Amino acid sequence: EADIYQTPRYLVIGTGKKITLECSQTMGHDKMYWYQQDPGMELHLIHYSYGVNSTEKGDLSSESTVSRIRTEHFPLTLESARPSHTSQYLCASSEWTDRTVLHFGNGTRLTVT
Amino acid sequence: KQEVTQIPAALSVPEGENLVLNCSFTDSAIYNLQWFRQDPGKGLTSLLLIQSSQREQTSGRLNASLDKSSGRSTLYIAASQPGDSATYLCAVRNYGQNFVFGPGTRLSVLP
């Protein structure tokens, strides 16, 4: 079983608050990803990283930001949460080579009131 | 731009049936394709990864096939069980690109 952890599992927060969603993996994977998924809808890539100090924006425009200071850690930050940010956020990781499996965490379900 | 579709969107079958889930993609120059399972409110669990050079992969009651030229993959589930109820997603990776996900097939296996 993949060792990729996301915290918190659920978060309810008011509009305007700053939040950070945590993602850590213990597999030493170089590549890490953040996906956003609304209920019953497709996954959309919002950020990815190919290693330390590497971050890129994904296909879906997002007001969030990410950082990659350590290999194992890839946090996602929203400076000012809005109701439109209500969604499930999924973190994933994979080895450097594209031939390997993409592993997912259990996700953070965010509700902004 | 790669686009991935999955048919059917939802499927309900009695326990014990064999079933096939379909995944289609528009750009056949793929690197690999991965099938996932997602339980409600959870993350995705990897089921099978097929490289572009492979025709199929098997794991237990699951068999995934790949036909690059026609832009299709199928996931075959043998002797379905209620515990197989979940959403099944396929994701396609082109060379040098990130995975593109399909919308999923929601499967219900009735006892």
Side-chain angles (χ1 to χ4, degrees):
Chain A
E1 189 156 322
D3 296 317
I4 180 165
Y5 307 101
Q6 291 187 243
T7 57
R9 186 78 179 84
Y10 302 94
L11 179 62
V12 181
I13 200 162
T15 298
K17 300 290 187 185
K18 177 180 178 178
I19 59 170
T20 297
L21 308 184
E22 302 287 349
C23 177
S24 295
Q25 50 95 4
T26 59
M27 298 171 283
H29 287 170
D30 290 301
K31 294 184 176 180
M32 295 189 74
Y33 310 82
W34 277 103
Y35 290 86
Q36 185 173 342
Q37 185 183 33
D38 293 326
M41 303 296 286
E42 301 173 33
L43 274 78
H44 293 285
L45 181 65
I46 52 175
H47 297 283
Y48 59 99
S49 166
Y50 287 161
V52 171
N53 294 325
S54 153
T55 61
E56 302 286 346
K57 290 188 181 296
D59 307 319
L60 182 68
S61 175
S62 174
E63 294 167 345
S64 59
T65 59
V66 293
S67 63
R68 189 90 182 275
I69 299 172
R70 303 198 316 263
T71 298
E72 63 271 20
H73 196 211
F74 191 40
L76 181 145
T77 298
L78 277 166
E79 291 292 334
S80 179
R82 295 210 297 263
S84 61
H85 296 140
T86 295
S87 189
Q88 173 155 264
Y89 292 85
L90 294 165
C91 181
S93 73
S94 68
E95 294 179 23
W96 175 255
T97 168
D98 284 345
R99 293 184 64 81
T100 61
V101 165
L102 189 62
H103 299 276
F104 278 83
N106 271 328
T108 293
R109 182 166 296 283
L110 172 66
T111 302
V112 183
T113 60
Chain B
K1 182 188 171 190
Q2 179 71 271
E3 293 182 4
V4 181
T5 55
Q6 292 187 245
I7 294 173
L11 180 64
S12 184
V13 300
E15 182 176 4
E17 270 204 13
N18 303 323
L19 56 99
V20 174
L21 308 181
N22 297 290
C23 172
S24 297
F25 44 94
T26 54
D27 182 350
S28 61
I30 68 168
Y31 195 74
N32 50 35
L33 182 148
Q34 193 166 353
W35 281 94
F36 294 89
R37 166 189 174 134
Q38 185 175 30
D39 293 290
K42 296 284 185 65
L44 281 66
T45 299
S46 178
L47 297 174
L48 291 163
L49 174 70
I50 309 178
Q51 306 297 342
S52 61
S53 59
Q54 299 173 319
R55 298 283 292 183
E56 65 179 311
Q57 282 283 348
T58 298
S59 175
R61 295 183 292 108
L62 305 179
N63 176 276
S65 66
L66 175 63
D67 183 346
K68 274 199 327 177
S69 61
S70 65
R72 292 196 303 187
S73 175
T74 61
L75 179 67
Y76 174 82
I77 302 177
S80 58
Q81 303 169 358
D84 294 331
S85 297
T87 297
Y88 291 80
L89 298 98
C90 72
V92 173
R93 173 181 265 161
N94 287 71
Y95 290 90
Q97 303 295 314
N98 293 309
F99 276 106
V100 176
F101 283 81
T105 293
R106 191 169 63 254
L107 173 66
S108 295
V109 180
L110 307 174

